[in-house]
Amino acid sequence: MKTATTDAMENELDALYGMSKEEMAECAKHLMLGGGTRGGPTLHHGKGVRVWDVDGKSYIDCTAQSWALYLGHCNEEVWRAVDAHARRLTHVHQGFDTLPRFALAKRICQIMPKGMNRVSFVPTSALALEGAMKLALKNRPGSAHFICLWDSYHGTTLGTMGASWIATQSGGSYIGGSRFLPLTQQPVRAPNPYCYRCYWNKKPESCGLECARWLELTIKKSVNGPPAGLLIEPLQASGGQIIFPKRYLEAAREICDRYQIPMIFDEIQTFVRIGKWTAAEYYGVTPEFIVLGKAVGGGLPLGVTVVKDGLRGYDPDTEELHTFANNSLSQVAALKLLHIIARDKILDNVNRMGAYLKEGLLRLQREFPEIGDIRQIGLHIGVEFVRDPESKEPLDAETRAIRDEGIRRGVIFGLAGVRKNLLKIKPPLIITEGECDEVLRVLREAMKAVLR
Ligand SMILES: Cc1ncc(COP(=O)(O)O)c(C=O)c1O
């Protein structure tokens, strides 16, 4: 709702950075980006699932901006809480306790699997993963190497980049992560359970879990010394929205138990988005570490490392110290986010809208056989485009063109997968049936324009 105060604030912002198109182009030259495809609309403001560009055109945002805005853009309640707290405290050194940090630590432990009762906060997702890696090393003396899976993505810090597919030739050429090898961590990789393109040409219903057998062989034959941990997305996001069978994760747990290898669940994308608080809960598999990031900060930067009881945590002797590790504002936003998710039964909406979108996508698949595979759990949805269902030849250029048509028609889809033939539909978790219909309608129009 517009008031005299909000108008005054808008004017203040416009005075601060308002500019012409020419000035924008001039400013853009000074920016240096290391990733993220530029060239989409220049965004001005957002509300709920929608975002508007500087020309006033509106879009449904099926990326939730790096999948990080669970309550959509500019949730009033979150920002009211942040605003109120900002008048009390903003930046606080890690060595000082605060009320939001206490409250958030307790709340996160309530929604973690039983037996996970200690958390550490850091400024962002990849740092939280590095924290889990530090603790895994600390708990496994004599270990030096991590295991991760083919096509995994864990970030671009020097500690995580080596475990992301962007350091390999998975995507067809050596890109970003391959340029910093002298400093990146060098994990050992095991095959991912990518059932749609099974490396052993098996069917999930009847396979003998060859991928899990290879995990064990990798542990036994490919790692020097005891492995420090298995770093794993319980279902892969950036690599291609690849949903892992429950049997695989259960087998991985059993193998890790047998070889005493800590499991680190990278839940940076799965947390809440798959219709349960955690993938650990969804799969009934409890790891030694769970790492949260992205959306957990309610739209502000926050990473969380959660450790299982009985393991060594941090010692306060500068093992883990960051200037902005105790960001009160992110903690308040996180608390409000978790409160709203529980109060408004957001998990139910995730499951209902996820199933609704899947039904719509299945209808589209009957019309467009180029939809090779639809992979959906909750609102973690990927659509893989292929030339035809038999050859499964990836349609990379066409997938990008469909994404671009979507933007032209008012829906921002994500684009990913090591084969670049995957459209991601991962909107804010508050999306309604009517908005899902709009997304499906635009997707159909975009596919018609590109494929017919
Ligand atoms: C599964 C997963 N892990 C880690 C990261 C790294 O997160 P950030 O870029 O917020 O550090 C990402 C980011 O896309 C991710 O998807």
Side-chain angles (χ1 to χ4, degrees):
M1 192 183 38
K2 279 204 152 233
T3 64
T5 322
T6 56
D7 274 347
M9 283 165 70
E10 285 285 312
N11 292 340
E12 207 176 308
L13 290 182
D14 284 341
L16 197 61
Y17 48 64
M19 60 180 80
S20 67
K21 281 269 160 69
E22 293 70 35
E23 283 166 325
M24 274 187 232
E26 184 56 33
C27 291
K29 290 186 204 154
H30 297 285
L31 274 173
M32 196 168 45
L33 301 187
T37 355
R38 204 160 168 193
T42 299
L43 301 182
H44 184 270
H45 65 281
K47 188 81 210 143
V49 300
R50 284 177 210 273
V51 69
W52 282 260
D53 68 17
V54 286
D55 298 319
K57 180 171 160 59
S58 98
Y59 308 82
I60 291 190
D61 186 359
C62 282
T63 70
Q65 298 306 306
S66 280
W67 342 110
L69 298 174
Y70 282 176
L71 301 177
H73 292 263
C74 305
N75 179 279
E76 284 292 333
E77 285 186 88
V78 170
W79 295 111
R80 262 210 313 272
V82 170
D83 181 65
H85 191 82
R87 290 157 206 269
R88 284 191 188 173
L89 273 177
T90 53
H91 168 59
V92 181
H93 180 271
Q94 183 170 326
F96 292 90
D97 282 321
T98 63
L99 302 184
R101 188 168 70 173
F102 278 146
L104 185 60
K106 179 176 168 204
R107 182 67 189 119
I108 287 191
C109 292
Q110 285 169 343
I111 56 181
M112 287 295 114
K114 215 163 148 260
M116 301 195 82
N117 287 300
R118 279 167 303 158
V119 304
S120 155
F121 298 120
V122 286
T124 191
S125 333
L127 273 182
L129 265 177
E130 291 188 354
M133 290 162 73
K134 284 182 186 173
L135 291 177
L137 281 165
K138 189 171 168 183
N139 279 278
R140 196 95 210 271
S143 65
H145 303 287
F146 285 89
I147 300 171
C148 68
L149 298 191
W150 295 358
D151 299 345
S152 59
Y153 184 89
H154 297 290
T156 65
T157 58
L158 288 172
T160 58
M161 191 175 234
S164 295
W165 63 267
I166 45 142
T168 68
Q169 241 208 16
S170 294
S173 59
Y174 288 117
I175 57 168
S178 61
R179 295 185 196 121
F180 310 103
L181 298 183
L183 282 182
T184 51
Q185 180 246 141
Q186 306 298 328
V188 176
R189 288 183 170 80
N192 53 340
Y194 187 3
C195 300
Y196 181 63
R197 296 179 187 275
C198 173
Y199 305 111
W200 297 272
N201 290 319
K202 304 278 185 188
K203 295 267 172 282
E205 319 75 76
S206 55
C207 83
L209 275 185
E210 273 75 2
C211 40
R213 206 166 60 79
W214 274 87
L215 174 63
E216 181 165 13
L217 284 173
T218 304
I219 290 166
K220 284 199 337 203
K221 293 178 183 287
S222 301
V223 187
N224 292 342
L230 172 66
L231 180 54
I232 181 170
E233 295 162 86
L235 58 112
Q236 290 179 327
S238 159
Q241 299 290 127
I242 298 169
I243 296 175
F244 291 0
K246 182 171 161 61
R247 288 196 303 142
Y248 174 82
L249 283 168
E250 288 168 347
R253 176 70 274 178
E254 195 270 318
I255 293 165
C256 285
D257 281 344
R258 204 144 20 93
Y259 293 88
Q260 293 158 35
I261 299 170
M263 288 179 96
I264 302 172
F265 271 16
D266 176 343
E267 296 234 24
I268 288 162
Q269 292 225 24
T270 48
F271 178 65
V272 181
R273 182 168 282 286
I274 66 169
K276 292 276 183 200
W277 284 110
T278 61
E281 181 188 347
Y282 179 91
Y283 284 103
V285 172
T286 305
E288 276 68 26
F289 302 95
I290 290 182
V291 177
L292 311 177
K294 288 194 186 279
V296 73
L300 289 177
L302 183 68
V304 188
T305 311
V306 192
V307 57
K308 196 170 172 184
D309 298 350
L311 292 178
R312 290 185 68 191
Y314 288 122
D315 289 302
D317 62 356
T318 327
E319 281 186 332
E320 180 76 348
L321 179 66
H322 302 283
T323 303
F324 286 107
N326 190 11
N327 184 342
S328 288
L329 300 183
S330 302
Q331 293 159 2
V332 170
L335 271 169
K336 202 69 190 176
L337 165 80
L338 299 178
H339 171 75
I340 294 171
I341 289 173
R343 184 196 66 196
D344 295 353
K345 300 192 170 34
I346 298 284
L347 289 165
D348 292 348
N349 196 56
V350 171
N351 288 313
R352 272 191 295 111
M353 292 306 111
Y356 188 77
L357 280 168
K358 169 97 180 255
E359 264 176 42
L361 290 168
L362 284 169
R363 276 197 303 278
L364 288 178
Q365 192 179 33
R366 287 194 279 279
E367 189 181 345
F368 297 89
E370 291 91 344
I371 295 187
D373 201 20
I374 301 162
R375 298 193 279 272
Q376 174 265 337
I377 300 189
L379 285 169
H380 198 287
I381 304 174
V383 179
E384 184 162 345
F385 285 95
V386 292
R387 177 103 26 226
D388 61 77
E390 282 71 42
S391 72
K392 296 187 182 174
E393 184 194 328
L395 279 185
D396 51 356
E398 291 83 349
T399 309
R400 176 173 288 270
I402 291 169
R403 198 276 308 254
D404 293 347
E405 278 295 331
I407 291 181
R408 264 192 284 282
R409 290 158 202 266
V411 174
I412 308 177
F413 294 105
L415 189 62
V418 296
R419 292 176 184 77
K420 310 270 178 282
N421 65 332
L422 193 104
L423 208 68
K424 297 207 256 188
I425 308 178
K426 299 162 80 170
L429 311 185
I430 52 167
I431 194 165
T432 61
E433 242 179 59
E435 288 156 349
C436 288
D437 287 338
E438 207 173 321
V439 169
L440 290 164
R441 178 182 56 73
V442 167
L443 179 57
R444 182 170 181 276
E445 285 172 7
M447 284 195 297
K448 258 181 93 172
V450 173
L451 300 171
R452 295 291 173 269

